[in-house]
């Protein structure tokens, strides 16, 4: 590097790119690798990068006698924003492809971090409602159940926006969401509508679970970032605890009023049920992607992947392999195909992976466990349901990551690239070294 100011600008660009990736759901390994790639491409060799859950730092010392240059940034807010994630991914690819220079990249990342969304916020609220309606349809709900789930989800979203404006922690937002979902179900039961109100609770539990970072936490653990992994998983557990508190409170209110929401018992499956289940999963996944500001071009591929995945999960369960293995195999399929699909439609694999997994989140098991515990009977069965929910979440994340491990080396092998990979890349360009020629 010729000048100290250029080094400072390079480190600052790397930090800003890393901040946007981490705040929008990227794993610590992907963030670190992307920051390294940007710094190395711009001439900064061997910077020291440290990424944690709430902050990141980068330092560089050109020669041993120089004073090291150290920069830090804090990750102050987190939200699922796949539009920004995709734009940053494209920015990094343009920079590494020499289509833009350092100054243009710094200007672009400044615009990205300060600009809003093109998608209207009420449209996003409608997307969350459509997602909950899709879950209700997937679980066998009739049109009235889907409509109630839609309204409940939209109400939860607007309430959480209002509460967030007062800077309340996420835990309290989750408590409010769980309570609202359950109170809608209690109201439907009290009105004696021709619905299964427990479906409304389940649909909105999945809505609330969709933003929890199980995926990022397990990816960080598998790629060696244990501190960041523990922080992500702690946040996920705390958010889930908020849902538990909210749903339990709502069920208690129903019990005091003498209204029983009831237990959900899935009926016998036939071809019609399978078709409706697949349609509900496709709607749920595509709606989640829409509500998360994903580019419109990914909606159909995500819907197709989610439809196939839910069919795989259902078929595995019908063969007697159990729910956990069915979910794990379906998640493995998602990870296996996502790498190729994301390359064709030019989005990070993370956008497709998380969206396609959402229909399989264990909302039903959580609801059953909470309902049993709130009634004070069959406590062991309730705890077993909650343990099953945790097992399903683990199977989803580990299955997807293993699918990415398999898919990415297979594609590189076809291009005669090296086999070694520290971890599956869900965000950022895949940079590999040229294969060394063997000895003759």
């Amino acid at each position: 590097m010729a000048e100290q100011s250029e080094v400072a600008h390079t480190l600052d660009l790397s930090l800003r790119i890393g901040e946007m990736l981490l705040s929008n759901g990227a794993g610590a390994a992907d963030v670190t690798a992307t920051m390294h790639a940007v710094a190395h491409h711009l001439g900064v060799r061997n910077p020291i990068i440290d990424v944690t859950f709430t902050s990141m730092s980068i330092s560089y010392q050109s020669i041993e006698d120089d004073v090291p240059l150290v920069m830090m940034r804090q990750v102050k807010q987190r939200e699922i924003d796949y539009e920004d994630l995709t734009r940053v991914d494209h920015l990094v690819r343009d920079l590494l492809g020499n289509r833009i220079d350092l100054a243009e990249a710094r200007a672009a990342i400044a615009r990205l971090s300060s600009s809003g969304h093109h998608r209207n916020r009420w449209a996003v609220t409608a997307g969350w409602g459509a997602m909950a309606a899709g879950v209700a349809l997937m679980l066998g709900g009739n049109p009235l159940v889907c409509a109630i789930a839609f309204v409940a989800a939209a109400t939860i979203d607007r309430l959480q926006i209002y509460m967030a404006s007062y800077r309340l922690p996420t835990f309290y937002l989750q408590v409010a969401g769980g309570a609202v979902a359950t109170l809608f179900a209690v109201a439907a039961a009290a009105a004696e509508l021709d619905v299964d109100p427990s479906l409304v609770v389940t649909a909105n539990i999945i809505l609330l679970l969709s933003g929890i970072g199980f995926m990022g936490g397990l990816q960080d653990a598998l790629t060696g970032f244990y501190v960041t992994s523990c922080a992500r998983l702690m946040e996920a557990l705390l958010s889930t605890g908020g849902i538990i508190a909210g749903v339990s409170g709502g069920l208690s209110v129903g019990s005091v009023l003498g209204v029983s929401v009831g237990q959900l018992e899935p009926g016998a499956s036939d071809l019609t049920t399978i078709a409706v289940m697949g349609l509900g999963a496709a709607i749920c996944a595509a709606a989640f992607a829409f509500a998360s500001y994903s580019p419109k071009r990914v909606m159909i591929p995500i819907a197709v992947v989610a439809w196939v995945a839910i069919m795989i999960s259902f078929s595995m369960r019908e063969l007697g392999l159990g729910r956990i293995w069915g979910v794990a195999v379906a998640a493995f399929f998602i990870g296996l195909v996502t790498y190729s699909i994301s390359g064709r439609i030019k989005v990070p694999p993370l956008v497709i992976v998380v969206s396609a997994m959402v229909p399989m989140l264990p909302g039903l098991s959580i609801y059953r466990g909470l309902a049993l515990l709130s009634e004070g009977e069959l406590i062991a069965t309730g705890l077993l349901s909650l343990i099953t929910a945790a097992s399903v979440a683990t199977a989803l994340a580990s299955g997807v990551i293993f699918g990415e491990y398999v898919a990415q080396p297979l594609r590189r092998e076809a291009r005669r690239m090296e086999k070694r990979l520290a971890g599956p890349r869900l965000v950022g360009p895949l940079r590999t070294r040229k294969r060394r020629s063997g000895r003759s």
Side-chain angles (χ1 to χ4, degrees):
M1 297 291 291
E3 300 179 358
Q4 190 76 1
S5 62
E6 191 171 357
V7 175
H9 290 165
T10 298
L11 299 187
D12 179 68
L13 174 64
S14 298
L15 275 176
R16 290 180 181 274
I17 288 174
E19 178 190 10
M20 291 202 68
L21 292 178
L22 190 65
S23 64
N24 287 296
D30 290 343
V31 173
T32 303
T34 301
M35 291 174 66
H36 265 293
V38 169
H40 185 274
H41 178 78
L42 294 173
V44 174
R45 301 294 186 261
N46 301 318
I48 298 175
I49 297 174
D50 183 42
V51 175
T52 64
F53 187 58
T54 57
S55 66
M56 56 182 61
S57 65
I58 182 170
S59 63
Y60 175 70
Q61 187 178 26
S62 57
I63 58 177
E64 186 175 348
D65 294 334
D66 280 356
V67 176
L69 178 61
V70 182
M71 291 187 175
M72 298 183 64
R73 289 190 73 86
Q74 288 186 331
V75 181
K76 297 182 179 179
Q77 66 178 43
R78 299 176 185 275
E79 63 174 339
I80 301 176
D81 189 337
Y82 291 148
E83 180 182 19
D84 283 352
L85 193 72
T86 301
R87 288 179 176 179
V88 174
D89 185 73
H90 290 176
L91 170 64
V92 173
R93 292 174 188 273
D94 288 341
L95 179 64
L96 299 185
N98 292 317
R99 291 182 287 274
I100 59 174
D101 58 19
L102 173 60
E104 292 171 326
R106 296 187 72 227
I109 198 67
R111 287 194 299 269
L112 283 176
S113 60
S114 60
S115 61
H117 299 286
H118 297 97
R119 194 163 295 164
N120 187 280
R121 191 59 185 80
W122 278 101
V124 172
T125 297
W128 290 122
M131 174 191 157
V135 175
L137 181 64
M138 182 179 67
L139 296 176
N142 58 31
L144 183 55
V145 171
C146 295
I148 296 174
F150 180 96
V151 174
T155 303
I156 290 170
D157 182 58
R158 302 314 299 186
L159 175 62
Q160 289 188 334
I161 292 174
Y162 176 76
M163 294 176 66
S165 67
Y166 288 94
R167 299 184 179 181
L168 288 173
T170 303
F171 175 82
Y172 300 104
L173 273 61
Q174 295 290 86
V175 172
V180 168
T182 311
L183 291 176
F184 264 90
V186 169
E192 298 183 354
L193 300 177
D194 184 22
V195 299
D196 187 340
S198 61
L199 284 173
V200 179
V201 181
T202 304
N204 286 282
I205 285 177
I206 292 179
L207 166 76
L208 295 168
L209 285 174
S210 62
I212 296 177
F214 287 111
M215 179 69 196
L218 285 175
Q219 184 191 9
D220 288 344
L222 292 172
T223 51
F225 289 81
Y226 301 112
V227 174
T228 308
S229 172
C230 290
R232 285 184 189 265
L233 292 176
M234 179 59 68
E235 181 188 51
L237 290 175
L238 190 62
S239 296
T240 305
I243 299 174
I244 293 173
V247 174
S248 297
L251 291 174
S252 298
V253 170
S255 178
V256 169
L257 297 176
V259 179
S260 176
V261 176
Q263 297 289 329
L264 175 60
E265 296 296 338
S269 300
D270 53 31
L271 292 179
T272 303
T273 303
I274 295 175
V276 172
M277 181 186 299
L279 176 62
I283 293 173
C284 170
F288 172 82
F290 179 85
S292 301
Y293 302 101
S294 299
K296 294 180 180 178
R297 63 181 178 274
V298 307
M299 304 303 172
I300 293 178
I302 285 173
V304 172
V305 171
W307 182 84
V308 175
I310 206 70
M311 293 297 100
I312 291 173
S313 176
F314 182 83
S315 300
M316 296 287 288
R317 291 175 64 180
E318 289 295 299
L319 291 174
L321 296 179
R323 181 183 181 188
I324 305 300
W325 277 104
V327 167
V329 173
F332 175 79
F333 163 78
I334 293 173
L336 194 64
V337 303
T338 293
Y339 185 69
S340 296
I341 295 174
S342 63
R344 294 178 183 276
I345 59 178
K346 297 181 180 180
V347 297
L350 185 70
V351 176
I352 302 175
V353 161
V354 176
S355 301
M357 283 200 314
V358 166
M360 294 184 290
L361 289 173
L364 179 56
S365 295
I366 291 177
Y367 167 74
R368 281 175 167 168
L370 293 177
L372 291 171
L373 290 176
S374 67
E375 292 174 0
E377 300 177 358
L378 301 176
I379 294 178
T381 305
L383 290 175
L384 181 60
S385 293
L386 293 180
I387 293 172
T388 300
S391 300
V392 169
T394 303
L396 280 171
S398 57
V400 163
I401 292 172
F402 185 59
E404 290 285 341
Y405 266 114
V406 173
Q408 293 185 13
L410 284 177
R411 182 162 179 171
R412 291 203 318 280
E413 182 68 13
R415 295 183 176 184
R416 296 183 179 180
M417 292 184 178
E418 65 176 330
K419 296 179 181 179
R420 295 183 60 191
L421 182 65
R425 297 299 301 276
L426 297 182
V427 179
L430 183 62
R431 299 293 295 267
T432 57
R433 300 175 182 175
K434 295 182 179 179
R435 182 190 295 273
R436 295 181 178 178
S437 59
R439 296 180 179 178
S440 58

